[in-house]
Amino acid sequence: MSSAIDSQFSNVSPSGDFINKSNGIVFTISAPGKVILHGEHSVVYGKLALAASLGLRTSGTLRELENTDDASVIEVHFPDINLHYSFDFKEIQNLLDKPLPVNPDISHFNLEHPERLDHDLHLKNVEGFLSGTEGYHNLSKLKKNSLVSFLYLFTAMFTSLNVSIRPFHFSVSSHLSIGAGTGSSASFVVCLVASFLHYVKLLSKRGNVGGNLSKYGYGPTLLTFESYTARLTEDLLKITSDWSFYGERIHHGNPSGIDNTICTYGSLLVFKKGCPPERKTMDYPLKLLLINTKVSRDTKTLVGKVADFVQRFPEVGNGLLCTMDEVSKNALDCIECLNKADSSCEETAGAFEKLEELSDINHSLLRILGVSHPTLEEIVTILRGHGLRGKLTGAGGGGYATCLVPPSCSQGDLDAVLTDLSNAGFDVKMTSLGDAGVRVDS
């Protein structure tokens, strides 16, 4: 079902085109992961949550293949989950010739309106196609979801377009741990969607397709593509986030929309249930220790645990949730203060000190709600021994702990805490907060 690809490719040409030696397209796009800074669990109850992008990214590379009998495939390679899968190119073309299930009819659908696709029916069609391919039934749930995401998004986005694709190899790798609450699935689907959009741009340029990109019968797609840039236009970012939300549904059923939004736009996101997410800047460079407990957790069980606490002790539980809301608001004020302040002034030091205290407070509140874990408490204790503050992130019950690194922290002090955490059996990554959103890297 799979084949080896050994072609060598060049970089971007002087004209800004993405080409290989055979005049095929090749490019790489990356998207950041995310971390919840404040608002875990309380966001479910309508309280404010803060999410920030990470310096850890997922990268996807699309490389067109020479049009030979040996390369008449669309091949996907996801090395992080050991998945290497090939589709017959003619079978994919046949899929793209079939009309999409849309509401109310195809004349109302185009690339810019994913909400008009009948997603459940399209997903069923994709899964039906895959179930007839060799080896699919032997794959793990994670591999199946990844493969479904790829084919679901590719066919949903390209079926309505009047562009000529070629056989290609598409690989995705990530610095994010899978299933640990750092947005690995959202970063993955954002990478897929942005890669497909960029491919549309390059195909339309190569085919001199101007104006309407849609096939006859579909609603017009009138996208304006700028010349090569490391960032997508605002219109393309919105389309990326919108399509990625539906890609996230394959992995999480009913996602909040936080992860696909932050992985698309980067920086800082303020989120409150029932309200549109609000994008904020993070101009002050914040560094973060991301500490892996290596303990898996069940988000659904942990959310239920909080719900049970609130039901049994309504006044106490609601009081804790309201306090967590105030923590999020205060943390946002501190970040906005850091954005405006001179890095050498006392105001900066004061704002950062408050951020550390708020992390401490938030972790204590989450512990009272019952979503901490002995490994998380051990991490917080080790950090406190070095004068640092830590907190759980995400659902808790394992997963990751985070620690903001003070600007005053010396390399010697940092090395000492990293050594202690490592000796205790924890994996630690040093990363940045507020990293750029999805972008074209090469």
Side-chain angles (χ1 to χ4, degrees), residues 1-6 65 69-77 84-87 168-169:
M1 193 86 193
S2 62
S3 58
I5 307 297
D6 297 318
L65 307 175
D69 290 340
D70 293 331
S72 57
V73 297
I74 287 180
E75 185 177 56
V76 295
H77 185 205
H84 204 164
Y85 213 82
S86 295
F87 299 100
F168 63 82
H169 173 84

Side-chain angles (χ1 to χ4, degrees), residues 161-186:
L161 297 178
N162 186 26
V163 293
S164 180
I165 65 169
R166 295 181 183 177
F168 63 82
H169 173 84
F170 187 70
S171 62
V172 178
S173 59
S174 184
H175 291 103
L176 298 164
S177 297
I178 296 170
T182 52
S184 60
S185 65

Side-chain angles (χ1 to χ4, degrees), residues 216 283 327:
Y216 176 78
D283 300 324
V327 167

Side-chain angles (χ1 to χ4, degrees), residues 1-2 72-76 85-92 95 129-130 133 136 147-148 150-151 168:
M1 193 86 193
S2 62
S72 57
V73 297
I74 287 180
E75 185 177 56
V76 295
Y85 213 82
S86 295
F87 299 100
D88 182 272
F89 184 64
K90 290 182 180 178
E91 290 184 1
I92 297 299
L95 277 181
F129 171 82
L130 284 169
T133 60
Y136 177 73
L147 202 57
V148 169
F150 169 83
L151 193 59
F168 63 82

Side-chain angles (χ1 to χ4, degrees), residues 228-249:
Y228 169 68
T229 175
R231 288 191 63 83
L232 282 72
T233 63
E234 279 293 315
D235 286 346
L236 293 181
L237 286 172
K238 183 181 185 306
I239 295 171
T240 298
S241 184
D242 289 347
W243 274 112
S244 298
F245 173 79
Y246 292 101
E248 272 278 82
R249 285 178 57 177

